[in-house]
Amino acid sequence: MSRSRISPPLVLVNFKCYLEATGSKAVQLAKYAQQVADKTGVTLAVAPQTADLRLVSQQASVPVFAQHIDPITPGSYTGHVLAESVLEAGASGILVNHSECRLGISVIEDTITRAKDLKLETVVCANTSGIAAAVASLGPDMIAVEPPELIGSGVAVSKAKPEVITDTVSRIRRINSDVLILCGAGITSGEDVREALRLGTQGVLVASGIVKAKNQLAAIEDLAGACRPIGKQTNLT
Amino acid sequence: MSRSRISPPLVLVNFKCYLEATGSKAVQLAKYAQQVADKTGVTLAVAPQTADLRLVSQQASVPVFAQHIDPITPGSYTGHVLAESVLEAGASGILVNHSECRLGISVIEDTITRAKDLKLETVVCANTSGIAAAVASLGPDMIAVEPPELIGSGVAVSKAKPEVITDTVSRIRRINSDVLILCGAGITSGEDVREALRLGTQGVLVASGIVKAKNQLAAIEDLAGACRPIGKQTNLT
Amino acid sequence: MSRSRISPPLVLVNFKCYLEATGSKAVQLAKYAQQVADKTGVTLAVAPQTADLRLVSQQASVPVFAQHIDPITPGSYTGHVLAESVLEAGASGILVNHSECRLGISVIEDTITRAKDLKLETVVCANTSGIAAAVASLGPDMIAVEPPELIGSGVAVSKAKPEVITDTVSRIRRINSDVLILCGAGITSGEDVREALRLGTQGVLVASGIVKAKNQLAAIEDLAGACRPIGKQTNLT
Amino acid sequence: MSRSRISPPLVLVNFKCYLEATGSKAVQLAKYAQQVADKTGVTLAVAPQTADLRLVSQQASVPVFAQHIDPITPGSYTGHVLAESVLEAGASGILVNHSECRLGISVIEDTITRAKDLKLETVVCANTSGIAAAVASLGPDMIAVEPPELIGSGVAVSKAKPEVITDTVSRIRRINSDVLILCGAGITSGEDVREALRLGTQGVLVASGIVKAKNQLAAIEDLAGACRPIGKQTNLT
């Protein structure tokens, strides 16, 4: 099993195809992330659209993840996303199998293989505990779990039954002890982040909670603040 | 029917996912295209990978086409290609339904609609005369025809039976008199370009013939040179 | 252009994956259709699920359409639907590109080609006037138009603006004078059928209006009754 | 974890879309399987095309598997395969994720769930040891492993390195002790079956080795003969 080069806890911000995080606004949001990372020491990473990868990588000093690649090698693949192209554009990792971009199980395995070849970190999304356990066998660097009870339901992790997260974490751990586990749903506040970490995850994957926030910077500060080690937090309080 | 803003004849170079046209090499190739366009007055355009759109647009003064977009509006579409993102990255057009990226007929129509909303030019690929005629009803700016007799067969347009092209052109023209028609297969030399134009097309879509050439600049010069009006060509010889 | 062997007007009943039209219930519904066809002389056809094609064909004397085939030739295609298998099971035609089973434009063309080879009638669905015109170039036997204004909106053809249908019919007719045109949305009563025929279509494609009716037989009688020539109808009134 | 109702060892014959196993020929082949099952006591099962499920189920007394279902519930799903329809047609199980019909990981999980609801047995195909281990977490009744070294290479299990099979078996067993494991590639003779069973599998999934055999009955006898307990085999020799 590989070990991620990311130092947890991690807050990974998925820009999706939101206009509030496209082009120059993608750069602005990534700069906010860098600013908070610099101030708090928490690892913050961003996942902008493919067309924005290079611009964001050049203008902000945070790890940049592509939202998707195709498991192809260089060649005749018009319209596809080549791992080498996102790497040269500055990406250090990729999202795989996001619920909005579901992949075949063979495609997931092949994508992880391609990413490893180029030393791109992989975050594979899994929307049930069964799929999370399945994905754990494929050796990704990170798994983002999206319990169905938390997706689109408006239920925050901090309000949900703990088992929603802990069951998935324990199923993954039985198979893979190294993979970082992110909580990929139900995160809207620092309180949610704290609860996610308390339940055994090493970070969060968040999108609208930050991108769609009226004050993006404040939203990042809130989430990142909750990631700091208890000792430091106590000092700050 | 819309009218393309492109002045034909057009040489459109598809970079596919070739390493010889990725990242800094995409920029180099686009600069070659610009150099030849400036010298000859022929319209040259390039279609780099999504991750390279902005870099190429910023560093070379030629029309830039995205290889694919998804017919989505801004929102929760992780891993998709948003029209607004390629537009802000500098693209002025898009390829649609390339043989390596086949789309549903409804997706083609929706993609054309999205592109028109943002004033992106559309080049829809069609691999048979029937599909070319079908696509002509959807109102794209350009159609790139790829006669099966010419794809992957190594047969050049200039060596093929003229009907391979003229039949498709006439089927398109019965339905759509405005659309620009590109020859999208069988182009490896200036002679092929001349023949394609003589048979009723307004340009060519070419990939490996230029990208994989030992001397990319010379290959572009050869193809673009064949696009100049007969008068001018005579003068130059 | 081919000519359909179906005598219009046609009422084609799509069984979808409704339990009310699965297995033995598919047979019952097809027998109702046969009963009404025998009594009225109107052409009635049914499109049951693949697993029910043979049973329905054996037990009811109406034309049977498959809901989908894959454009494959016999061979290693586990899980696909081979044209030969539905033909041997008794199908005389196929639906193509239904809105619940959208296909690539090349797949549509290849499917039509395979169907013609085996003399299976093709009904290609089209959800906009542009797509209907496009599909007309591919030479199917029938086109089922599903104007977006009528799909899922609960608006019946008989209540809609006539242009919703007539515009599509005239776009198709400019390209293809032989193809039968079915109205594929907004049909819930005999009145709708009469209006659809009056506006230039040669029949209807209907699903829930019949399958989900409390009295399936009465629903078929209502729709078929509206298909009889004016003269006969006058006699009956 | 569920327990399969199938008594191993199992020879499961995939009819694919071969003409030699379509319609009346599917029935003939299934009757051969029944004949050998009756004579040898070995469990033989068949996977005909969807359109042939009912005919085969009615005319031959062997377990019948569908080659694919969609994870849908009854409703508006034109062209899809409903679990209820294959069950009513006589199927007692399904193939899932065959290499010719690859599915998303979520689709695999949802398909297994639907199958369990209807008590259909599931055979999930896996083409690498990683995917086999992943699939083991999803709780299918059987996993058919198709080591890439054996697919399409013409290499028989009995000639390959034992680790090709034993590694996959042991990866599956670490996660799931109940699932039946079938060898899904490299089976062309009784010798291959014997080797597959010796290496820890409980049966085989075979297609062309039987369907394309000049003498289908003899081919089934050869494979089934190799499944008999050593004691019995000795007696027979």
Side-chain angles (χ1 to χ4, degrees):
Chain A
M1 299 290 176
S2 72
R3 246 170 219 292
S4 170
R5 303 182 308 273
I6 292 279
S7 299
L10 166 70
V11 175
L12 173 49
V13 189
N14 178 5
F15 288 11
K16 298 196 171 183
C17 286
Y18 292 131
L19 275 191
E20 295 84 352
T22 296
S24 58
K25 290 182 180 167
V27 172
Q28 180 58 66
L29 185 49
K31 283 183 172 169
Y32 288 152
Q34 177 189 345
Q35 197 175 318
V36 176
D38 290 348
K39 200 166 70 178
T40 62
V42 170
T43 307
L44 281 146
V46 297
Q49 292 168 63
T50 312
D52 293 329
L53 287 171
R54 181 175 273 108
L55 186 67
V56 168
S57 300
Q58 287 171 339
Q59 309 216 353
S61 289
V62 285
V64 172
F65 282 66
Q67 292 179 14
H68 170 73
I69 67 165
D70 292 295
I72 53 168
T73 48
S76 296
Y77 296 101
T78 301
H80 291 66
V81 184
L82 179 68
E84 281 81 355
S85 82
V86 305
L87 181 71
E88 188 170 340
S92 61
I94 55 171
L95 298 186
V96 183
N97 192 46
H98 189 276
S99 62
E100 294 154 14
C101 193
R102 285 286 181 232
L103 305 179
I105 190 166
S106 298
V107 174
I108 295 174
E109 186 179 55
D110 292 346
T111 299
I112 292 174
T113 302
R114 279 250 67 205
K116 288 193 186 203
D117 287 346
L118 298 183
K119 305 209 187 311
L120 289 163
E121 302 254 343
T122 48
V123 178
V124 180
C125 301
N127 64 322
T128 67
S129 64
I131 292 175
V135 158
S137 287
L138 301 176
D141 297 300
M142 300 177 240
I143 296 176
V145 299
E146 313 156 308
E149 294 89 342
L150 302 183
I151 291 182
S153 64
V155 174
V157 170
S158 54
K159 309 291 184 209
K161 293 185 191 163
E163 305 86 64
V164 166
I165 296 294
T166 53
D167 285 357
T168 302
V169 169
S170 70
R171 283 201 66 179
I172 294 173
R173 283 292 170 244
R174 259 174 262 154
I175 288 165
N176 185 321
S177 55
D178 284 333
V179 67
L180 294 185
I181 305 176
L182 308 182
C183 181
I187 303 293
T188 56
S189 70
E191 196 187 348
D192 300 326
V193 174
R194 243 184 310 270
E195 183 66 5
L197 298 178
R198 200 181 66 79
L199 297 174
T201 70
Q202 285 79 53
V204 298
L205 174 63
V206 59
S208 61
I210 285 178
V211 181
K212 291 285 197 179
K214 282 192 179 171
N215 186 332
Q216 294 176 331
L217 178 57
I220 300 176
E221 284 175 332
D222 182 28
L223 267 61
C227 288
R228 284 178 297 185
I230 299 299
K232 278 194 180 177
Q233 282 175 353
T234 313
N235 287 345
L236 287 170
T237 318
Chain B
M1 298 289 175
S2 71
R3 246 170 217 293
S4 171
R5 302 181 309 272
I6 293 279
S7 299
L10 166 69
V11 175
L12 173 50
V13 189
N14 179 5
F15 289 10
K16 297 194 171 183
C17 287
Y18 292 131
L19 274 191
E20 296 84 352
T22 296
S24 57
K25 289 181 180 168
V27 172
Q28 180 58 65
L29 184 49
K31 283 183 172 170
Y32 288 152
Q34 177 189 345
Q35 197 175 317
V36 176
D38 289 347
K39 200 167 72 179
T40 62
V42 170
T43 307
L44 281 146
V46 297
Q49 294 167 63
T50 312
D52 293 329
L53 287 170
R54 180 173 273 109
L55 185 68
V56 169
S57 300
Q58 285 171 340
Q59 309 217 355
S61 288
V62 287
V64 172
F65 282 65
Q67 291 181 14
H68 171 72
I69 65 163
D70 293 294
I72 53 168
T73 47
S76 295
Y77 295 101
T78 300
H80 291 68
V81 184
L82 179 69
E84 282 81 354
S85 82
V86 305
L87 181 71
E88 188 168 341
S92 60
I94 55 171
L95 298 184
V96 184
N97 193 47
H98 189 277
S99 62
E100 293 153 15
C101 192
R102 284 286 182 234
L103 305 179
I105 191 167
S106 299
V107 174
I108 295 174
E109 187 179 55
D110 292 345
T111 299
I112 292 174
T113 301
R114 280 249 69 205
K116 288 193 186 202
D117 287 346
L118 298 183
K119 305 210 186 309
L120 290 163
E121 302 255 342
T122 48
V123 179
V124 180
C125 300
N127 64 320
T128 68
S129 64
I131 291 176
V135 158
S137 287
L138 300 177
D141 297 299
M142 302 177 239
I143 297 174
V145 300
E146 312 157 310
E149 295 88 344
L150 302 181
I151 292 183
S153 63
V155 175
V157 170
S158 55
K159 309 292 183 208
K161 294 185 189 163
E163 305 86 65
V164 166
I165 297 293
T166 53
D167 287 357
T168 302
V169 169
S170 70
R171 284 201 66 180
I172 293 173
R173 284 290 170 244
R174 256 174 264 154
I175 288 164
N176 187 320
S177 56
D178 285 333
V179 69
L180 294 185
I181 304 175
L182 308 182
C183 182
I187 304 293
T188 55
S189 70
E191 196 187 348
D192 301 327
V193 175
R194 247 186 308 271
E195 183 66 5
L197 297 178
R198 202 182 64 78
L199 296 174
T201 69
Q202 285 78 53
V204 298
L205 174 63
V206 59
S208 62
I210 285 179
V211 180
K212 291 286 197 178
K214 281 192 181 174
N215 186 333
Q216 294 176 330
L217 178 57
I220 299 176
E221 284 175 331
D222 182 27
L223 267 62
C227 289
R228 284 177 298 183
I230 299 299
K232 280 195 178 175
Q233 282 175 354
T234 314
N235 286 344
L236 286 170
T237 318
Chain C
M1 297 290 174
S2 71
R3 245 171 220 292
S4 170
R5 302 180 309 272
I6 292 280
S7 300
L10 167 69
V11 176
L12 173 48
V13 189
N14 179 5
F15 289 11
K16 297 195 173 184
C17 286
Y18 292 131
L19 274 191
E20 295 84 353
T22 296
S24 57
K25 291 182 180 169
V27 173
Q28 180 57 66
L29 185 49
K31 283 184 173 171
Y32 289 151
Q34 177 189 345
Q35 197 174 317
V36 176
D38 290 347
K39 199 167 72 178
T40 62
V42 171
T43 308
L44 281 147
V46 297
Q49 294 168 62
T50 311
D52 293 329
L53 287 171
R54 180 173 274 109
L55 185 67
V56 169
S57 300
Q58 286 171 339
Q59 309 217 354
S61 288
V62 285
V64 172
F65 283 66
Q67 292 180 13
H68 170 73
I69 66 163
D70 293 294
I72 53 168
T73 48
S76 296
Y77 296 100
T78 301
H80 291 67
V81 184
L82 179 69
E84 281 81 355
S85 81
V86 305
L87 182 71
E88 188 169 341
S92 60
I94 54 170
L95 298 185
V96 184
N97 192 46
H98 190 277
S99 62
E100 294 154 14
C101 193
R102 285 285 182 232
L103 305 178
I105 191 167
S106 299
V107 174
I108 296 174
E109 187 179 55
D110 293 345
T111 299
I112 292 174
T113 301
R114 281 249 67 206
K116 288 194 186 202
D117 287 348
L118 298 182
K119 304 208 188 312
L120 289 164
E121 302 254 342
T122 48
V123 179
V124 181
C125 301
N127 63 322
T128 68
S129 63
I131 290 175
V135 158
S137 287
L138 301 177
D141 297 299
M142 301 176 239
I143 297 175
V145 300
E146 311 156 310
E149 295 87 343
L150 302 182
I151 292 182
S153 64
V155 175
V157 170
S158 55
K159 309 292 184 207
K161 293 185 191 164
E163 305 87 65
V164 166
I165 297 293
T166 53
D167 286 358
T168 302
V169 169
S170 71
R171 285 201 65 179
I172 293 173
R173 284 290 169 245
R174 257 174 264 155
I175 288 164
N176 186 320
S177 56
D178 284 332
V179 69
L180 294 185
I181 305 176
L182 307 182
C183 182
I187 304 293
T188 56
S189 70
E191 196 187 347
D192 300 328
V193 174
R194 246 185 308 272
E195 182 67 4
L197 297 178
R198 201 182 64 79
L199 296 175
T201 69
Q202 284 78 52
V204 298
L205 174 63
V206 59
S208 62
I210 285 178
V211 181
K212 291 285 196 178
K214 282 192 180 171
N215 187 332
Q216 294 176 330
L217 177 58
I220 300 176
E221 284 175 332
D222 182 27
L223 266 62
C227 288
R228 284 178 297 185
I230 299 298
K232 281 193 179 176
Q233 282 175 354
T234 312
N235 287 344
L236 287 169
T237 317
Chain D
M1 297 290 175
S2 71
R3 244 170 220 293
S4 171
R5 302 181 309 272
I6 293 279
S7 300
L10 166 70
V11 175
L12 173 50
V13 189
N14 179 5
F15 289 10
K16 297 195 172 184
C17 287
Y18 292 131
L19 275 191
E20 295 85 352
T22 296
S24 56
K25 291 182 179 168
V27 173
Q28 180 58 66
L29 185 49
K31 283 183 172 170
Y32 289 152
Q34 177 189 345
Q35 197 174 318
V36 176
D38 289 347
K39 200 168 70 179
T40 62
V42 170
T43 307
L44 279 147
V46 297
Q49 293 169 63
T50 312
D52 293 330
L53 287 170
R54 180 173 274 108
L55 186 67
V56 169
S57 301
Q58 286 171 340
Q59 309 216 354
S61 288
V62 286
V64 172
F65 282 66
Q67 292 180 15
H68 170 72
I69 65 164
D70 292 294
I72 54 169
T73 48
S76 296
Y77 296 100
T78 300
H80 291 67
V81 184
L82 180 68
E84 281 82 354
S85 82
V86 306
L87 181 71
E88 188 169 341
S92 60
I94 55 171
L95 297 185
V96 183
N97 192 47
H98 189 276
S99 62
E100 294 153 15
C101 193
R102 284 286 181 232
L103 304 179
I105 191 167
S106 298
V107 174
I108 296 174
E109 186 180 55
D110 292 345
T111 299
I112 292 174
T113 301
R114 280 249 68 205
K116 287 193 186 202
D117 287 346
L118 298 182
K119 305 210 187 309
L120 289 164
E121 302 255 341
T122 48
V123 178
V124 181
C125 301
N127 65 322
T128 68
S129 64
I131 291 175
V135 158
S137 288
L138 301 177
D141 296 300
M142 300 176 239
I143 297 175
V145 300
E146 311 157 309
E149 295 88 343
L150 303 182
I151 291 182
S153 64
V155 175
V157 170
S158 55
K159 309 291 184 207
K161 293 185 190 162
E163 306 86 66
V164 166
I165 297 293
T166 52
D167 286 358
T168 302
V169 169
S170 70
R171 283 202 65 180
I172 293 173
R173 284 290 169 244
R174 256 174 266 153
I175 289 165
N176 186 321
S177 55
D178 284 333
V179 69
L180 294 185
I181 304 176
L182 308 181
C183 182
I187 304 293
T188 56
S189 71
E191 195 188 347
D192 299 327
V193 174
R194 246 184 308 269
E195 182 66 6
L197 297 178
R198 201 184 63 80
L199 296 174
T201 69
Q202 284 79 51
V204 298
L205 174 64
V206 60
S208 61
I210 286 178
V211 181
K212 292 284 196 180
K214 282 192 181 172
N215 187 332
Q216 293 177 331
L217 178 57
I220 299 176
E221 285 175 330
D222 182 27
L223 267 62
C227 289
R228 285 178 296 185
I230 299 299
K232 281 193 178 176
Q233 282 176 355
T234 313
N235 288 343
L236 287 169
T237 318

